Amino acid sequence: MNVSQSTAAPETNTGQAFGTSGYRNYVLFSLMLLYTLNFIDRILIGVVAQPIIEEFRLQDWQFGLLSGFGFALMYTVMGIPIARLTERMSRVYIIAASVILWSLMTALCGIAGSFLALLVFRIGVGIGEAGLTPAANSIISDYFPPRSRARAIAIYTMGITLGGVLANAFGGPITQMFSWREAFLVLGIPGVLFGMIFLFTVKEPPRGYADPPGISSPERTSIGDTIRELSPKPSFWINVAAAALVAFVGYGVSNFQVAFFQRVHEMSIADVTLKIAVPLGLAASFGAFITGYFTEKLSGRYPNAVAWLPGIMLIVSVPFYWIGFTTSSIPFALGVLIVGAALHYGYLGAQYTICQGVASPRSRATAIAMFLFIVNLIGYGCGPLAIGLLSDFLMTADLAASQYAAELSPQLCKGRPEELVATLGAAQAQACLTASGEGLRWAILYMSSIFALAGGLYLYICKTLQQDLVAKMN
């Protein structure tokens, strides 16, 4: 029997959690698992960045287009239409179909024979992944009352960092043992099975069930209705701007982080992923969880903790990133970057908690989709592309200042190191590798400074948050 069909009471606000405690936890951790798969498939391309760049002889901006904009364009374009379906159709069905689609597209990336084919399959991944988060946030808000949502959302968003950990833990070693193609195949296919399990084991809750009695639940809302509802609420729009800036930096850095350590510190892809990326991912996951935990504990006394706590953490993270990406000591770099990642990713639960906290039950999925449309188009769409363009620009400047300025160009400097030595000579090849690494280093440093601006915006939200909330969080 398919238990995804709702058998609950008519849609009414009770202010109570839906289902038993054990079942709610099962649903929540199932959604976290799917979000983890979402980010494994999304982040994997950044894990295998350098092999792809070398095989197809790409400029950094081209890889930024492939890893960022190519994915984010359809992800953002499809997000709102899918969210509209989420307001009307079974959210469980939508989530399951989305998981199966993006998993198949990820596996197909492993057989791409050209840059264009890989770009097309990445677009397919973006279409599939657009269906998860609006529906997941909507379901979570119906399973958990307002006082518990910060923690629930924080647990769900741990999938972002856990996905990064697993993408690195498996993607790097698989790539080193075989190739980047096998990494896509091995990590993409299991999602089909998990999508089917979710479909047959999760119940569709009544909409607005966990909201306090008296919260308005209109039968249907249009996109225009949602925009009109949110327009007078500055907390929503400031949250969008802050989260977009964090995503702009975060996605840009994460897509080139493994490549940076390969270029600058001459580490193998397996060493980078296991010794650097996995610990950073775990630190980020811890930061997201512990911030959600403290937010729930502090909100009774400090109602705006959901905004000012991540704001402070983002500002403080900046010097840790600067130190981590400038030191020549790999162990020291890892230590300070672990602190920076834990501070940086504390915002994850806050962005969704604020977003759905200011929207009425019937508008939440659309509000989340609008939020993701802007955040992902700016963050995921433009972040990797911007850091790639800046890296290429700084690399070009570095080459122009070298003794081989008349002989070398960014185009000539692309390829596997052994190929560069064979075609250009050892000294020229080293000049290429140095310029490529330093260009990427300074691009990452300049971008990471933007975290301070995003943190300031989260602090500013405190001025209007309480008056904009539909239901208080304390």
Side-chain angles (χ1 to χ4, degrees), residues 89-111:
M89 297 176 60
S90 167
R91 293 164 288 186
V92 172
Y93 285 164
I94 289 173
I95 289 173
S98 298
V99 174
I100 292 169
L101 176 59
W102 89 56
S103 299
L104 290 173
M105 290 295 106
T106 297
L108 287 174
C109 288
I111 64 172

Side-chain angles (χ1 to χ4, degrees), residues 194-229:
F194 286 110
M196 295 298 295
I197 292 173
F198 185 84
L199 175 64
F200 289 104
T201 61
V202 172
K203 298 177 183 179
E204 177 79 10
R207 298 175 191 270
Y209 183 92
D211 284 303
I215 298 297
S216 176
S217 299
E219 285 300 313
R220 290 290 183 263
T221 57
S222 66
I223 295 176
D225 292 332
T226 301
I227 293 174
R228 282 188 289 273
E229 176 186 330

Side-chain angles (χ1 to χ4, degrees), residues 29-51:
F29 281 96
S30 295
L31 289 170
M32 185 190 73
L33 173 61
L34 296 186
Y35 207 29
T36 299
L37 295 175
N38 182 295
F39 269 81
I40 289 175
D41 294 349
R42 186 184 306 193
I43 289 172
L44 180 58
I45 196 165
V47 175
V48 299
Q50 197 63 21

Side-chain angles (χ1 to χ4, degrees), residues 90-179:
S90 167
R91 293 164 288 186
V92 172
Y93 285 164
I94 289 173
I95 289 173
S98 298
V99 174
I100 292 169
L101 176 59
W102 89 56
S103 299
L104 290 173
M105 290 295 106
T106 297
L108 287 174
C109 288
I111 64 172
S114 66
F115 169 75
L116 180 60
L118 189 54
L119 179 60
V120 170
F121 293 139
R122 282 289 293 173
I123 290 172
V125 175
I127 294 173
E129 293 198 359
L132 175 61
T133 292
N137 273 269
S138 180
I139 283 179
I140 288 172
S141 69
D142 290 334
Y143 269 96
F144 296 89
R147 66 181 179 277
S148 300
R149 286 177 191 161
R151 180 179 58 85
I153 293 293
I155 291 173
Y156 170 70
T157 57
M158 284 173 65
I160 297 175
T161 51
L162 291 175
V165 168
L166 295 176
N168 283 282
F170 290 98
I174 291 171
T175 299
Q176 185 154 320
M177 292 174 61
F178 302 102
S179 78

Side-chain angles (χ1 to χ4, degrees), residues 150 239 242-243 246 287-288 290-296 298-299 302-318 340-354 450-462 465 473:
N239 180 43
V246 180
I290 201 67
T291 305
Y293 173 82
F294 278 117
T295 296
E296 184 171 352
L298 291 170
S299 291
Y302 305 102
N304 290 325
V306 69
W308 60 254
L309 185 57
I312 293 172
M313 293 169 69
L314 280 166
I315 294 170
V316 176
S317 74
V318 173
L343 292 169
H344 155 202
Y345 283 96
Y347 88 104
L348 288 175
Q351 64 175 355
Y352 291 127
T353 303
I354 294 171
I450 298 174
F451 282 144
L453 176 58
L457 289 176
Y458 272 112
L459 296 178
Y460 190 74
I461 289 175
C462 296
L465 180 59
M473 297 180 184

Side-chain angles (χ1 to χ4, degrees), residues 229-252:
E229 176 186 330
L230 297 174
S231 291
K233 298 184 175 183
S235 300
F236 176 83
W237 303 104
I238 299 171
N239 180 43
V240 169
L245 288 174
V246 180
F248 180 77
V249 180
Y251 285 130

